[in-house]
Amino acid sequence: TQVYLEDPSQRIRRVPGAGGLRPRGLAVLRELVAWREERAKMLNRPPRWILRDDIITELAKRQPESMDDLRSTRGLGIDPKSNWSKEVLAAIRRGLDVPDSALPRPTGRRETTEEMMVVKILAAAMIQQAGDIEVATSLLGTNEDLRDVLEWYRQDADPANVPILLQGWREPVAGRFLLQLLSGEVVARITA
């Protein structure tokens, strides 16, 4: 249950495209993610079935303030006359109204080519682990979660700030293997 009680400001870091948003866009994204989570709970559906990550990120970038602006968002699929559209606009407005002093800070993370390559290797390993246990890779984690593991590993494995892939059920399923890969205890080999 800890995963689902997570602070929305931390959850937004795992939304693809969040790294490219400015602080105001992150505030809007935080409100949209919180709205999506609540709506998903009410309907007993996965959050991404309510609004896809790419659409939420686009809304956080564009920050539409009217029904017409909202209607022009490609792929949104919400009837502009529905309560959903009003709720989405209200969430965007809440994000826009956040005082400057309370804006989320950008991650500021700029990856080197080497780091990008390591994350891709870790992603391939996580896909393999997910396939072995027959679960969707997205249930295990995202590339942002893999970046967190890499950063944590490189910074002397601070026990006070353990990444999500190294907690709970994810740790024995994927996290342990990822750490073994990073430390060289296991190696990757390509076979034809």
Side-chain angles (χ1 to χ4, degrees):
T1 60
Q2 285 302 113
V3 173
Y4 294 99
L5 297 175
E6 184 179 29
D7 178 3
S9 63
Q10 294 304 314
R11 212 173 350 203
I12 64 172
R13 304 291 181 199
R14 289 196 304 273
V15 175
L21 294 174
R22 296 175 186 262
R24 181 66 56 196
L26 287 172
V28 171
L29 182 66
R30 181 176 57 196
E31 293 300 326
L32 288 167
V33 166
W35 170 81
R36 179 176 73 171
E37 290 289 325
E38 285 305 310
R39 177 60 73 169
K41 285 179 196 174
M42 286 175 23
L43 297 174
N44 195 26
R45 296 273 184 239
R48 289 183 181 120
W49 287 17
I50 305 302
L51 270 184
R52 295 186 331 247
D53 287 339
D54 61 320
I55 293 174
I56 276 198
T57 305
E58 181 65 20
L59 290 171
K61 281 181 193 166
R62 290 184 53 236
Q63 303 166 5
E65 295 190 50
S66 70
M67 286 294 180
D68 287 337
D69 292 342
L70 192 62
R71 193 175 306 134
S72 68
T73 304
R74 179 181 245 150
L76 185 59
I78 292 179
D79 178 1
K81 296 177 185 157
S82 73
N83 282 339
W84 280 39
S85 58
K86 292 174 189 156
E87 292 170 10
V88 167
L89 286 174
I92 292 167
R93 172 57 33 212
R94 285 191 301 275
L96 292 173
D97 290 342
V98 170
D100 289 347
S101 60
L103 290 174
R105 291 184 321 189
T107 59
R109 194 184 275 178
R110 292 279 182 242
E111 290 180 312
T112 65
T113 303
E114 177 188 272
E115 289 168 334
M116 286 189 280
M117 184 59 67
V118 172
V119 169
K120 287 180 181 183
I121 292 168
L122 292 176
M126 190 166 68
I127 290 168
Q128 178 64 43
Q129 291 297 105
D132 288 349
I133 62 167
E134 298 180 353
V135 300
T137 306
S138 60
L139 290 177
L140 288 177
T142 64
N143 281 348
E144 187 67 24
D145 296 327
L146 293 170
R147 286 181 192 95
D148 291 343
V149 169
L150 178 59
E151 187 175 311
W152 181 83
Y153 178 79
R154 286 183 163 176
Q155 295 178 355
D156 300 324
D158 178 10
N161 192 24
V162 178
I164 195 168
L165 284 172
L166 303 176
Q167 298 177 26
W169 65 272
R170 289 176 175 90
E171 192 271 334
V173 171
R176 196 174 301 151
F177 182 75
L178 295 171
L179 288 178
Q180 290 171 332
L181 188 59
L182 285 169
S183 69
E185 290 177 50
V186 297
V187 294
R189 181 172 53 136
I190 300 171
T191 58

